[in-house]
Amino acid sequence: MRVCYFDDVGGSGHHDGYVSGLIEATMRSGSFALAACPKRPEIPEVEWFRVSRREKSQLVQNRRQMRAVVGACRAQQVDTFVDLNFDRNVWLFPGAVEGLERRIHVLHHATQYAFSNRNAAGKIRTLFLREYLQRLASHGDLIVTHTRRATEILAEIIPTNATLQLPYPVRVSRNVPANELDQSIGIPVLLFVGQAREEKGLADLLAAMQLLRRDAIVRVVGPQRPQVKRDLTRQSPGISIDWIDTFVDDAELSSYFHAASLVITPYRNSFAQDGGASGVLLDALAHGKPLLTSDALADQLPAGFSGAVITRAEDQTSLAEGLEHSLQNLARLTEKAATEGPDFIAEHHTFDAYVAELLDATS
């Protein structure tokens, strides 16, 4: 099989690692891989077609670029085209893509295909997108989802055989020493990863810290909007917040996971309704770190997982109680998470299994 992976994001949200993991797994399977992305993957012998990242509003330029990608696919005799960011690129595909033999579209969030919580203009856009999905399905395209919620939303629109739900892939990380400085000071480090968007609940975490009578460092890793950062800092007097306000690569992010005492994902119900997988939660499992999470993400944890405490979403009192319980039982949670988390990822969330199912579904 000859596969093209198209991803025009690059440099954010760790798309580079996602693309590289898929390409490596594809090549290990004996298939050919063409990477159409902004940055050349650090993989020997990979074929690369450089694309540029543009704004969605640059419709003409984006569609011209897509036609160039399709031309590169034909030149390399690609038979399977995989778009890794269908959330954005649903607006960009020219008719030329339909000329490729097999077409797969990876959907990370499904909220724009649901009518709930949409204004009038949003509902018109949703109607258009639903009709477009139906067209793709009728032409044999496959839509890949990562969560049960996203699959349920699409089941209202297209036949179930036009979707494939796969566990989002991450790399297992074992036996990497924690940061010595953080361990020596004896103060728990609570890790929050990503942009402080409302649905991710960082404001709820900081409010819960005001109710917690313990010393702890809240480490926030990832680029932030300046005004949001200023507001959250001002609203959190007395809370020690360590802002790592920049994009970090996968190796740096891994070091922050290993240095953390507890990973916090206090996501709100709106995130669950969105149908997206939490890469942070999966990374915490892969690194064998204990978790404090909300019930909005509970169904993304392994069944019976002993290394996490679950609180009520959007409930600061419940979150504070969960923090207190987690810190009181940190040794036990850490011990359980160290084995159960990586074992679960190794069994259910590998790139090799992801690629095998992805390509088998279209063969």
Side-chain angles (χ1 to χ4, degrees), residues 190 201 203-214 262 264 266 292-293 309-328:
L190 313 180
D204 293 333
L205 170 60
L206 296 175
M209 290 292 295
Q210 301 280 3
L211 305 175
L212 189 69
R213 297 184 179 276
R214 279 179 176 268
L262 185 68
I264 316 289
L292 176 66
T293 191
V309 171
I310 301 171
T311 67
R312 291 187 298 276
E314 305 176 38
D315 186 328
Q316 296 163 8
T317 300
S318 177
L319 185 52
E321 291 171 351
L323 279 167
E324 180 65 33
H325 180 78
S326 298
L327 295 175
Q328 286 181 353

Side-chain angles (χ1 to χ4, degrees), residues 139-154:
H139 290 180
D141 291 47
L142 182 68
I143 311 298
V144 173
T145 63
H146 294 133
T147 66
R148 184 176 67 246
R149 170 61 180 161
T151 303
E152 290 171 350
I153 291 173
L154 295 196

Side-chain angles (χ1 to χ4, degrees), residues 20-94:
S20 295
L22 295 177
I23 291 170
E24 289 169 342
T26 300
M27 296 176 72
R28 281 195 297 269
S29 75
S31 293
F32 168 88
L34 169 65
C37 53
K39 179 182 177 183
R40 183 183 183 90
E42 297 179 0
I43 303 171
E45 301 180 2
V46 67
E47 291 290 337
W48 177 53
F49 182 83
R50 183 175 184 173
V51 301
S52 299
R53 182 181 182 184
R54 297 187 177 94
E55 298 300 321
K56 289 187 290 185
S57 59
Q58 296 177 288
L59 195 59
V60 173
Q61 297 92 327
N62 278 313
R63 289 192 170 179
R64 185 182 297 127
Q65 177 166 268
M66 280 301 306
R67 285 192 290 269
V69 171
V70 172
C73 288
R74 287 176 173 151
Q76 293 287 351
Q77 298 180 314
V78 163
D79 51 47
T80 304
F81 175 83
V82 185
D83 166 42
L84 297 177
N85 192 23
F86 191 55
D87 305 55
R88 176 179 185 272
N89 294 329
V90 64
W91 302 101
L92 307 182
F93 286 112

Side-chain angles (χ1 to χ4, degrees), residues 186-204:
I187 299 175
V189 177
L190 313 180
L191 180 64
F192 178 97
V193 177
Q195 192 177 91
R197 299 199 304 269
E198 182 180 1
E199 68 269 21
K200 292 194 173 183
L202 179 58
D204 293 333

Side-chain angles (χ1 to χ4, degrees), residues 148-292:
R148 184 176 67 246
R149 170 61 180 161
T151 303
E152 290 171 350
I153 291 173
L154 295 196
E156 301 173 0
I157 309 166
I158 56 178
T160 55
N161 62 2
T163 63
L164 175 65
Q165 182 179 326
L166 293 177
Y168 188 82
V170 295
R171 300 179 190 274
V172 175
S173 177
R174 297 177 187 265
N175 301 323
V176 178
N179 183 289
E180 293 181 2
L181 175 62
D182 287 330
Q183 298 302 307
S184 65
I185 60 178
I187 299 175
V189 177
L190 313 180
L191 180 64
F192 178 97
V193 177
Q195 192 177 91
R197 299 199 304 269
E198 182 180 1
E199 68 269 21
K200 292 194 173 183
L202 179 58
D204 293 333
L205 170 60
L206 296 175
M209 290 292 295
Q210 301 280 3
L211 305 175
L212 189 69
R213 297 184 179 276
R214 279 179 176 268
D215 288 331
I217 298 169
V218 178
R219 176 166 291 152
V220 183
V221 178
Q224 306 297 327
R225 292 188 176 92
Q227 187 60 52
V228 171
K229 178 181 175 181
R230 284 194 294 269
D231 289 345
L232 289 175
T233 302
R234 188 180 65 253
Q235 294 163 12
S236 308
I239 304 301
S240 178
I241 308 175
D242 180 17
W243 295 100
I244 311 298
D245 186 8
T246 185
F247 174 79
V248 299
D249 62 24
D250 289 338
E252 291 175 285
L253 181 61
S254 183
S255 71
Y256 286 120
F257 271 105
H258 284 292
S261 308
L262 185 68
V263 178
I264 316 289
T265 53
Y267 290 13
R268 294 181 146 226
N269 292 317
S270 54
F271 186 93
Q273 293 163 3
D274 191 24
S278 171
V280 178
L281 181 145
L282 294 174
D283 276 340
L285 294 175
H287 285 83
K289 304 303 294 188
L291 273 156
L292 176 66

